[in-house]
Amino acid sequence: MNVTEKTKITPWEVTGKVDYEKIMTKFGTEPIDQKILKQLSDLTSGDIHFMLRRGIFFTHRDLGWLLNRKKAGENFYLYTGRGPSDHTHIGHLVPWVFTKWLQEKFHAKLIFQITDDEKFLFNENLDSETTHSLALDNALDIVALGFDPKLTEIMIDTDRSGLLYPQAVKIAKKITFSTVKATFGFDQSANIGMIFYTSIQAVPAMIESVRNGKNIPCLIPYGIDQDPHFRIARDVLPRLGYLKPASIMSIFIPPLSGVDGKMSSSDPNNAIFVTDSEAVVKRKINKYAFSGGRTSVEEHRKLGGDPDIDVSYQWLKIMFEPDDSKLKKIHDDYRSGALLSGEMKAILIERVNSFLKRHQEARERAKSTLQVFLDDH
Ligand code: TYM
């Protein structure tokens, strides 16, 4: 969808400057306001995740409704996903880290869909063996983040077609070609798998209701680029007798090149992958991370830098510095000129590398426990 003339957001591509206020208006979603934060706080003993406090998760659909039902004693389940086109990058971790927090706080079951079919259909350069092996590779990252094995089911689409396909056809029958064309902007050259695909992404939003024979509310956390799929799902599911899924959406971690747009695997120098080595992380951040600093140290000391356009600061804010007071000090020191750009980058490099060290070790260990997550729950 074109949000403004220069900005395009689809589940496969984000270009231009992203104005999140405008997106909310255009997509018709609600802001995460004080009322929602209070509802969340009441149900989590006052523990509000920093991504909520800082507006990283900034918008939702029907979250208030879902939390009211939870308060009245009704459980909900979580659903999120990954399209395996490459190794996982830091951007993908934003919704997953937050989903893990939701799982812990609400003791909720999580369905994690890995859409190897999607990436095969949408990417000319990937064959189906590659997308399937990337699905298994990406699944290790999900396990490594520490989701509860009893409460987490990872579904790789082509392995779970027996479960997904019978539901997908019911959904597909309710979606016209013109809706798909208008929602995703496909032209005549789109293959017919692309046209069908959204019905597969909709299935996990109702699958627990199908399995349990009664409606169970579903909450889907995701980066805002995935929203078009769920607009369609919310339209179709009630027509099949299921609830509309609720959702909570985040902003994007920007690419290293600057604060506009989203980090994406298609631009490897501007993304950091969870498999990158310490030296690669250091090189990429030092070489490519756009700086909000001044041209000389003297000028920077005198005038200060701009954290709003400094990618290293933005990554700390979105993901790598959960402590509000530490983040504020970094912000204020940068603004005043006490903290230099190179020092800001050094803080980020240290945070990313210590996160990745732990993650990479957990990823190795995940190889022996992965199967538990892939089994039918
Ligand atoms: P994928 O693999 O493109 O992205 C996985 C998740 O990561 C989010 N994301 C980002 N978040 C913040 N900053 C970024 N730079 C960034 N890049 C990606 C995406 O919004 C997404 O939440 N079709 C989906 C797979 C899928 C799915 C789902 C995603 C299937 N079912 C349900 C979310 C919810 C895809 O290709 O995601």
Side-chain angles (χ1 to χ4, degrees):
M1 181 185 284
N2 290 337
V3 177
T4 64
E5 263 161 46
K6 292 195 193 88
T7 306
K8 191 174 162 200
I9 298 190
T10 76
W12 304 281
E13 193 189 9
V14 176
T15 50
K17 191 168 165 44
V18 189
D19 180 334
Y20 292 105
E21 285 293 321
K22 276 212 181 86
I23 292 180
M24 274 197 282
T25 315
K26 193 100 184 181
F27 287 10
T29 60
E30 301 295 320
I32 304 273
D33 56 15
Q34 287 310 316
K35 193 165 165 238
I36 287 283
L37 289 178
K38 168 91 175 61
Q39 276 181 285
L40 274 161
S41 168
D42 288 348
L43 290 165
T44 57
S45 326
D47 179 10
I48 289 291
H49 195 273
F50 73 88
M51 288 184 187
L52 286 164
R53 289 200 303 271
R54 295 180 192 166
I56 310 306
F57 274 83
F58 71 107
T59 190
H60 74 94
R61 283 202 167 91
D62 281 344
L63 182 58
W65 163 84
L66 180 117
L67 294 174
N68 275 334
R69 289 183 73 148
K70 176 71 192 168
K71 200 172 170 192
E74 189 176 13
N75 285 333
F76 63 86
Y77 74 101
L78 294 160
Y79 158 41
T80 196
R82 162 77 176 131
S85 56
D86 205 326
H87 287 302
T88 299
H89 64 57
I90 297 293
H92 302 128
L93 301 178
V94 173
W96 305 350
V97 164
F98 184 67
T99 302
K100 181 173 172 248
W101 178 81
L102 288 171
Q103 180 178 67
E104 280 165 10
K105 289 290 159 193
F106 293 97
H107 202 66
K109 177 165 182 182
L110 166 65
I111 302 287
F112 203 114
Q113 181 180 40
I114 306 191
T115 56
D116 57 336
D117 50 350
E118 175 192 10
K119 290 298 152 177
F120 170 65
L121 289 166
F122 281 82
N123 194 322
E124 275 177 26
N125 304 319
L126 291 175
D127 61 37
S128 55
E129 288 73 28
T130 306
T131 49
H132 187 262
S133 87
L134 283 169
L136 289 167
D137 171 273
N138 293 177
L140 296 176
D141 295 309
I142 298 153
V143 176
L145 285 179
F147 287 102
D148 183 337
K150 287 201 197 68
L151 289 175
T152 306
E153 181 171 356
I154 299 178
M155 291 180 181
I156 299 178
D157 282 350
T158 60
D159 290 341
R160 301 303 296 277
S161 52
L163 179 72
L164 299 172
Y165 189 70
Q167 308 308 324
V169 288
K170 291 181 200 158
I171 295 168
K173 197 171 178 180
K174 302 271 183 222
I175 306 174
T176 63
F177 179 39
S178 72
T179 297
V180 170
K181 244 166 85 177
T183 308
F184 299 110
F186 296 153
D187 61 26
Q188 294 300 103
S189 69
N191 69 55
I192 59 174
M194 290 161 71
I195 295 159
F196 176 76
Y197 169 71
T198 193
S199 53
I200 293 277
Q201 188 157 327
V203 175
M206 64 185 217
I207 199 69
E208 287 299 289
S209 300
V210 175
R211 282 165 152 178
N212 285 277
K214 65 169 188 186
N215 272 330
I216 302 180
C218 173
L219 174 62
I220 321 176
Y222 51 90
I224 190 73
D225 58 334
Q226 295 298 314
D227 197 61
H229 288 298
F230 299 115
R231 284 205 296 277
I232 294 186
R234 282 171 57 84
D235 176 47
V236 172
L237 267 47
R239 288 153 62 202
L240 295 171
Y242 300 104
L243 297 168
K244 285 185 184 197
S247 52
I248 181 160
M249 295 79 107
S250 74
I251 64 168
F252 304 120
I253 273 213
L256 287 167
S257 54
V259 290
D260 292 340
K262 81 163 185 173
M263 185 195 291
S264 143
S265 318
S266 53
D267 191 0
N269 279 333
N270 281 316
I272 285 183
F273 295 90
V274 295
T275 45
D276 282 349
S277 68
E278 268 186 44
V280 167
V281 169
K282 189 170 176 191
R283 180 180 60 81
K284 282 186 182 172
I285 294 177
N286 277 334
K287 189 160 175 196
Y288 300 110
F290 186 83
S291 157
R294 303 282 171 172
T295 42
S296 70
V297 171
E298 294 69 41
E299 212 186 318
H300 189 92
R301 292 271 187 235
K302 207 162 92 200
L303 302 169
D306 183 354
D308 294 341
I309 59 163
D310 189 279
V311 169
S312 303
Y313 175 77
Q314 292 302 319
W315 283 27
L316 289 167
K317 177 176 163 191
I318 296 173
M319 175 88 183
F320 291 102
E321 181 46 85
D323 184 321
D324 287 348
S325 59
K326 285 190 187 152
L327 186 74
K328 182 170 184 316
K329 180 155 171 37
I330 293 170
H331 176 276
D332 294 351
D333 286 353
Y334 198 58
R335 270 245 184 273
S336 75
L339 188 74
L340 299 174
S341 289
E343 292 166 336
M344 178 76 91
K345 288 189 178 197
I347 297 173
L348 181 67
I349 291 166
E350 192 278 318
R351 293 301 157 86
V352 174
N353 274 334
S354 72
F355 172 85
L356 288 186
K357 184 169 185 298
R358 270 179 283 120
H359 185 80
Q360 288 166 5
E361 286 164 6
R363 210 173 181 279
E364 275 308 305
R365 288 195 300 276
K367 290 178 182 162
S368 60
T369 51
L370 176 60
Q371 193 54 48
V372 176
F373 289 82
L374 297 172
D375 289 342
D376 203 342
H377 278 47

